[in-house]
């Protein structure tokens, strides 16, 4: 019998699992996909907002600033990137300036650092901004992270501290039993005292399994462009238009790895699997970002993608324990500022729905991050190659990722088994050539390190094999 | 720090030819840096024949062509460091590279960049739809098939009619896959005529001109694609999609010279070729030369071989302080010229070869050379295609008349 089962291995499930792993509990995380961080966590703007945006009185307003303030230390402990690059909210006219006033009032009330800037100053900082911009509200403590790496790091660290993770476990039914619940997946059964539903876009589906119809999830699609690192001259800050009812609008966001994200759109769709980009969506992003910065080098686009955010039918985070089913906790409707609030959401869940937890004496707090070989100085690189020649063997030419980094990434508590899982963690295939050169090499390394046939290496889901059949009888891959 | 007279970055066909010619000229202290586990570059996976008609006067496969160059380099005792990735080059020609023996800094007197190119990917062409498995660049599928021995799919569609796509269409058919078609957004193919005939027509594979892939369908695995016709502005014409149930989409939508090392030097690239801006000596910065597909994308390996051979000779003259110098004349692309190489030349230039591509097929044309607005020479050429590079000798009859910049025009002659 588990004490807690967490349904969903996105960043919310990861933070909650990580927080619970501090205590003497038997915890399991079930993920329906072939890797964690595979839906909304994989396709978002990756911003740690400071918390000026949510309306007063909401859970979002309460948790976002707390979450923001917790990140720096967590990212340090887990050795994942966190960059406080600051954000500019820009105003074009009097209406916008009025909105900036509202944001400013909230910032003051919530003790959030801000600065009002006018063209003479902000154009010096960001010379590419549209000169028609009248005023900027700057939030210098707004940060960016790598949500996939952060999610994986939290889960890796939680596993070291006792968490069990099962991939490819899609919850099909939940049944109350004497001491808690029985969870049925497509091929297994689990028993648990507590359930925490962090299933993101599928969270209302999970709640309905015990007859809870009190909320629905709206699938809000966001489409993005990713620009090559060569476009990083565009902006040092995150650039937002003034927010509207459909969210924070279409943004220009530098990523922690030096790329630039443009997006997202906000378009509600009916299908929870509809992560397709559209002509109209991509056109909309193009039009809108060109209002913020006029000359955007779209020829440096290396990828376009779409993600779904799980917008709750109630206009706030939906976090509660089911009235009729004690210890069944829904953590749903976590749309923006979901990532920024996530560490605070985890603490909120534990403070409100768990009693008398016993902390582990031997909790391991820190985790060693990936090497990020390319970012090291020549002396350190030389030293590492001396210790292990595989650091000197570059696999991904665009992102300069060495064989040893891939090997290190594979042999971790949560073993990545797919091309995409490796890509999400240490980025081979995230560069200009999008895996054209390195994917065949990554397949060989994965097959060798995991002792499996190259034909069984998948791109992502368990059916997405890349090599369909040998062309000539024998297995030709070393 | 090590010292070398000449470092060649990239040991594909270009790098090998440059090294061989430099050595024959008399440069002794040469080092080739190659990132792959063997020299020869992309030729190693091009197992079809048709290589070497110009260079060796016979039809060879890619690996056979590469082997001849490797053998010759070995005979000439030219050292090649394999599995070696160049991480940095500085303007004073210090090359930093890593391999499993360590991190190396080598000071060179001259450098030839024969760095090759990479394939444009799906991201770069912004096709709407999901991002499932089953979508590969043609070259990637070629590597899986010809080097690793695996087929990536059984029902194939190909986007783009570049040569690798055409070659792979035939190759996949020969391995038992069904190739449902090739879509080309332009009203003409971007591949060589012989490849259209030998790889598509001979196997009854339909070529959809003025069509592009308008949708990608499938959550985890590719399930289908849709193609649509495009209008004159290359915009998709709505409500006209045709669906193909395929498990694989191969992309042959262009090659881009790989020039991140040169960009890191803050040396500007030509917006059209995406390679460095060179003079008639193929030099883009003092003592730095470029050749092959890293300079611009070539039609045939024979042309790469010629260009790289010339780069090797030029590097020798550079080391002997014997290259043309002085004021630079720009070469300006006018009507119907896609791009032109070199982009500039010295006032005391010796006769050199000028290569250019046209922007559209033209059956009969006058190629005109101007010194500013003064017409100084005119040549008539037949059957010009964007996919086929045109080379013209710039001799003293032109050079002696140039006082300003040299402009080139292709004027269509209506039949």
């Amino acid at each position: 019998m588990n004490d807690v089962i967490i349904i969903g291995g996105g960043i919310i499930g990861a933070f909650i699992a990580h927080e619970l792993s501090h205590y003497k509990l038997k915890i399991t995380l079930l993920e329906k996909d072939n890797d964690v961080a595979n839906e909304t966590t994989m396709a978002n703007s990756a911003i740690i907002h400071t918390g000026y945006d949510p309306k007063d009185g909401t859970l979002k307003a309460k948790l976002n600033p707390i979450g923001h303030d917790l990140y720096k230390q967590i990212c340090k402990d887990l050795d994942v990137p966190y960059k406080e690059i600051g954000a500019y909210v820009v105003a074009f006219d009097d209406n916008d300036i009025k909105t900036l006033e509202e944001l400013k009032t909230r910032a003051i009330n919530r003790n959030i650092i801000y600065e009002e800037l006018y063209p003479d100053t902000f154009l010096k900082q960001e010379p590419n901004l549209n000169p028609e911009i009248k005023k900027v509200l700057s939030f210098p403590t707004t940060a960016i992270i790598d949500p996939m790496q952060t999610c994986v790091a939290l889960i890796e660290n939680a596993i070291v501290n006792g968490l069990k993770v099962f991939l490819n476990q899609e919850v099909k039914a939940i049944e109350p039993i004497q001491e808690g619940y029985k969870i049925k997946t497509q091929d297994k059964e689990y028993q648990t005292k507590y359930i925490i539903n962090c299933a993101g876009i599928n969270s209302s589906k999970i709640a309905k399994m015990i007859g809870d119809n009190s909320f629905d999830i709206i699938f809000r699609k966001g489409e993005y462009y990713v620009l090559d690192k060569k476009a990083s001259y565009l902006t040092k800050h995150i650039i937002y238009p003034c927010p509207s009812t459909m969210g924070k609008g279409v943004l220009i966001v530098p990523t922690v790895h030096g790329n630039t994200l443009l997006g997202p759109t906000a378009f509600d769709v009916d299908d929870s699997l509809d992560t397709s980009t559209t002509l109209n969506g991509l056109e909309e992003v193009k039009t809108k970002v060109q209002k913020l910065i006029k000359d955007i080098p779209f020829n440096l686009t290396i990828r376009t993608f779409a993600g779904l955010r799980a917008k709750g039918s109630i206009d706030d985070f939906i976090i509660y324990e089911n009235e009729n089913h004690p210890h069944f906790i829904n953590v749903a409707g976590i749309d923006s500022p979901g990532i920024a609030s996530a560490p605070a959401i985890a603490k909120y869940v534990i403070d409100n729905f768990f009693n008398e937890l016993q902390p582990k004496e031997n909790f391991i707090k820190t985790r060693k991050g990936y090497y990020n070989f390319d970012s090291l100085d020549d002396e350190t690189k030389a030293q590492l190659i001396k210790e292990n020649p595989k650091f000197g063997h570059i696999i991904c030419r665009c992102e300069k990722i060495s064989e040893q980094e891939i090997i290190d990434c594979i042999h971790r508590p949560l073993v990545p088994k797919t091309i995409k899982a490796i890509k999400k963690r240490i980025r081979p295939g995230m560069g200009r050539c999008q895996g054209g050169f390195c994917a065949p090499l990554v397949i060989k390394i994965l097959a060798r390190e995991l002792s499996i046939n190259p034909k069984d290496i998948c791109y992502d889901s368990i059916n997405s094999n890349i090599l369909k059949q040998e062309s000539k009888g024998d297995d030709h891959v070393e | 720090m090590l010292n070398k007279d000449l470092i060649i970055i990239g040991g594909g066909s270009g790098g090998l030819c440059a090294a061989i010619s430099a050595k024959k000229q008399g440069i002794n202290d040469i080092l080739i840096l190659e990132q792959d586990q063997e020299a020869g570059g992309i030729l190693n996976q091009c197992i079809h024949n048709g290589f070497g008609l110009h260079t060796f006067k016979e039809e060879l496969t890619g690996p056979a062509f590469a082997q001849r160059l490797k053998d010759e380099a070995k005979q000439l005792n030219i050292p090649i460091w394999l599995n070696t990735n160049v991480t940095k080059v500085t303007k004073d020609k210090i090359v930093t590279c890593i391999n499993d023996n360590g991190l190396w800094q080598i000071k060179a007197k001259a450098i030839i960049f024969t760095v090759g190119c990479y394939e444009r990917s799906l991201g770069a062409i912004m096709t709407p739809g999901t991002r499932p498995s089953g979508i590969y660049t043609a070259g990637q599928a070629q590597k899986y098939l010809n080097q690793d021995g695996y087929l990536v799919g059984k029902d194939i569609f190909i986007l783009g009619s570049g040569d690798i796509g055409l070659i792979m269409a035939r190759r996949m058919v020969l391995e038992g896959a069904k190739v449902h078609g090739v879509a080309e957004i332009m009203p003409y193919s971007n591949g060589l005529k012989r490849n259209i005939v030998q790889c598509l027509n001979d196997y009854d594979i339909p070529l959809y001109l003025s069509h592009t892939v308008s949708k990608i369908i499938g959550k985890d695995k590719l399930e289908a694609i849709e193609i649509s016709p495009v209008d004159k502005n290359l915009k998709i014409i709505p409500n006209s999609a045709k669906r193909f149930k395929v498990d694989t989409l191969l992309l042959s939508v262009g090659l881009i010279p790989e020039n991140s090392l040169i960009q890191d030097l803050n040396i500007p690239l030509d917006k059209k070729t995406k390679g460095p801006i060179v003079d008639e000596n193929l030099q883009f910065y003092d003592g730095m030369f470029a050749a092959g597909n890293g300079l611009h994308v070539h039609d045939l390996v024979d042309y790469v071989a010629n260009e790289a051979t010339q780069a090797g000779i030029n590097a020798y003259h550079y080391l002997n302080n014997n290259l043309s110098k002085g004021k630079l004349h720009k070469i300006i692309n006018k009507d119907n010229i896609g791009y032109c190489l070199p982009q500039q030349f010295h006032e005391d230039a010796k006769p050199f070869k000028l290569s250019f591509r046209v922007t559209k097929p033209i059956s009969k044309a006058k190629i005109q050379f101007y010194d500013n607005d003064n017409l100084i020479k005119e040549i008539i050429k037949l059957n010009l295609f964007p996919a086929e590079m045109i080379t013209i000798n710039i001799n003293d009859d032109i050079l002696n008349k140039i006082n300003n910049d040299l402009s080139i025009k292709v004027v269509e002659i209506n039949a």
Side-chain angles (χ1 to χ4, degrees), chain B residues 148-159:
Chain B
D148 298 344
Y150 291 96
L151 207 53
V152 291
K154 301 290 278 179
D155 284 283
I156 321 287
F157 199 91
I158 298 175
L159 173 60

Side-chain angles (χ1 to χ4, degrees), chain A residues 230 276-277 301-302 304 392 397 400 432 434 439 443-444 461 463-464 466 468-469 471-472 475-477, chain B residues 35 85 99-100 118 121 123 126 128-129 131 133 136 140 144 148-152 175 220-221 258 263:
Chain A
K230 289 172 197 158
S276 60
T277 59
T301 304
I302 55 173
T304 57
R397 303 172 181 186
K400 302 257 182 243
R432 288 182 290 290
Q434 290 282 298
I443 290 180
K444 288 184 189 181
S461 75
N463 297 312
S464 60
I466 291 163
K468 298 292 191 303
Q469 67 173 56
S471 62
K472 307 275 183 295
D475 186 349
H476 290 257
V477 172
Chain B
Q35 62 187 343
N85 188 285
N99 55 30
D100 58 8
Y118 64 94
S121 67
M126 305 175 203
R131 300 291 175 256
S133 66
Y136 310 97
Q140 192 184 352
Y144 284 130
D148 298 344
Y150 291 96
L151 207 53
V152 291
E175 288 294 340
D220 300 324
K221 292 187 292 183
E258 168 56 74
Q263 280 181 303

Side-chain angles (χ1 to χ4, degrees), chain A residues 27-88:
Chain A
I27 321 158
T28 293
L29 186 148
L30 303 179
E31 167 54 51
K32 74 172 168 49
D33 286 355
N34 203 9
D35 190 22
V36 298
N38 220 37
E39 268 168 354
T40 310
T41 304
M42 189 177 70
N44 60 76
S45 307
I47 302 171
I48 307 307
H49 305 283
T50 52
Y52 60 82
D53 190 54
K55 291 198 183 70
D56 282 328
T58 58
L59 205 47
K60 285 183 178 181
K62 179 179 163 175
L63 297 178
N64 181 354
I66 303 171
H68 169 272
D69 293 348
L70 289 168
Y71 258 101
K72 204 185 257 177
Q73 188 60 43
I74 293 168
C75 290
K76 202 174 159 201
D77 289 342
L78 299 178
D79 201 4
V80 291
Y82 173 90
K83 290 187 182 167
E84 222 167 73
I85 58 168
Y88 281 4

